[in-house]
Amino acid sequence: MDLALLRTFVTVHRAGSFTRAAALLGLSQPAVTSQIRTLERQLGKPLFLRQARGVTPTTIGDELAHKAAPHLDALVEIAESGLDDDSSLRTLHLAGPPEFTAERALPALTELTGDDGQGFALRASFGTAEETLEGLAAGHHDLAISTARPRGALLTATPLCDEEHVLVAAPRWAERIGAEELRLKGAPALEDLPVVEVHESLPLISHYWASVFDSRPGASGTVIVPDLRAVLACATAGAGLAVLPRYLCAPALGRGTIVALYEPAVPPLRTYYLVVRTGTLAMPHVARAHEWLQRAAVAWD
């Protein structure tokens, strides 16, 4: 059986789409379709059921993928390992949310860009979880950091770390509310305060309100900026209350330039995932970055 046909088959199985598989393989969609039909003729059985959107594997298709994929991944690992001596061939394309990637992931990974013979070049891009995962699935990135866990067989996600969210504001707002009033009234005590957020939908504020107060925020955004570091700067300047990850606002909390308005017994958390295309951890530079970030995350927690 032709290994090229098997490689195309496994890629389609993981992608769930001839179009997406073609993009990952660098082939035209008709070429992918032709290769799958050739393999189906050789086996004498259908491997996929064509749907309005993408394809669904048959039982035979699932069985073949289960048997073939590990061996194909192993061959990729052997091929990639043979290139380790030439680090110039290695470039890791990383994507993730701008704040977390800039503040945590990139400082950790730059330690792997040295000239120790095992290093690699690093290229980073920022985006939302949806944009990042779509880019990864399309082959634009090697490794993604996402707050959304992808579905399907194309992408494989590994939990990286949890991020604690803190309700913060400049000290003058805390003095205006009063800790006792907030303790007694909860969310209603905050409804007249201006809000700083990353989007008009108030994603962080809404998640905090639902988790801590079991309600929806009544306020609307006063300042909307699409970067948590800018949210922190605006909150510090007194623009209003904000919900921020503790790792990002901890230095400002320590200096007293902002204060935590409320400290719930169980703070809201958000999980970050390391995501790769299934099978690409066989590539040494991807596997090394993946493992390195997991090790670094132990200290972050």
Side-chain angles (χ1 to χ4, degrees):
M1 191 178 294
D2 190 337
L3 286 179
L5 297 182
L6 280 177
R7 177 170 177 259
T8 298
F9 161 72
V10 169
T11 304
V12 172
H13 185 272
R14 287 171 170 167
S17 161
F18 284 177
T19 302
R20 182 170 285 177
L24 292 171
L25 293 166
L27 301 173
S28 67
Q29 183 176 336
V32 170
T33 302
S34 176
Q35 289 188 24
I36 295 301
R37 286 176 176 168
T38 299
L39 186 57
E40 288 178 327
R41 284 197 301 270
Q42 291 179 2
L43 295 173
K45 298 175 182 178
L47 297 172
F48 296 103
L49 299 175
R50 278 65 171 177
Q51 308 284 344
R53 292 186 177 182
V55 293
T56 301
T58 62
T59 302
I60 297 298
D62 273 334
E63 183 179 349
L64 179 60
H66 179 72
K67 291 180 178 179
H71 299 290
L72 287 171
D73 292 342
L75 288 173
V76 171
E77 182 176 6
I78 292 171
E80 294 292 335
S81 296
L83 299 174
D84 274 353
D85 291 339
D86 190 353
S87 61
S88 65
L89 297 176
R90 289 286 165 268
T91 299
L92 180 78
H93 293 271
L94 174 73
E99 309 87 0
F100 186 90
T101 305
E103 298 291 329
R104 288 196 149 174
L106 287 175
L109 287 177
T110 51
E111 297 182 41
L112 300 182
T113 60
D115 56 358
D116 63 354
Q118 299 181 31
F120 49 74
L122 181 60
R123 302 290 184 269
S125 60
F126 301 145
T128 64
E130 182 179 3
E131 293 167 345
T132 296
L133 294 179
E134 285 181 356
L136 179 65
H140 301 315
H141 318 306
D142 301 312
L143 180 62
I145 300 170
S146 173
T147 54
R149 187 165 199 159
R151 298 178 179 179
L154 177 62
L155 304 178
T156 300
T158 304
L160 178 62
C161 65
D162 289 328
E163 170 185 272
E164 178 187 342
H165 285 178
V166 188
L167 179 63
V168 301
R172 68 182 181 90
W173 290 113
E175 293 169 3
R176 172 176 166 177
I177 302 168
E180 184 64 16
E181 181 179 1
L182 181 56
R183 186 184 68 81
L184 293 174
K185 293 184 178 180
L190 302 169
E191 290 193 358
D192 292 334
L193 272 66
V195 171
V196 188
E197 254 280 16
V198 294
H199 191 270
E200 296 285 357
S201 63
L202 309 184
L204 299 179
I205 292 285
S206 296
H207 179 247
Y208 191 97
W209 255 239
S211 300
V212 175
F213 302 124
D214 194 25
S215 65
R216 295 181 180 181
S220 58
T222 301
V223 178
I224 303 295
V225 284
D227 189 298
L228 289 174
R229 291 163 297 190
V231 171
L232 172 60
C234 292
T236 301
L241 64 83
V243 171
L244 291 167
R246 186 173 289 277
Y247 81 85
L248 189 63
C249 64
L253 288 170
R255 293 190 298 270
T257 53
I258 58 170
V259 295
L261 296 178
Y262 195 68
E263 293 283 5
V266 181
L269 299 176
R270 179 168 64 172
T271 301
Y272 283 93
Y273 298 92
L274 283 179
V275 191
V276 297
R277 289 186 303 282
T278 302
T280 57
L281 283 179
M283 303 172 70
H285 68 305
V286 177
R288 192 171 185 221
H290 191 276
E291 180 183 2
W292 196 266
L293 285 173
Q294 286 182 291
R295 290 181 180 179
V298 174
W300 299 339
D301 292 340

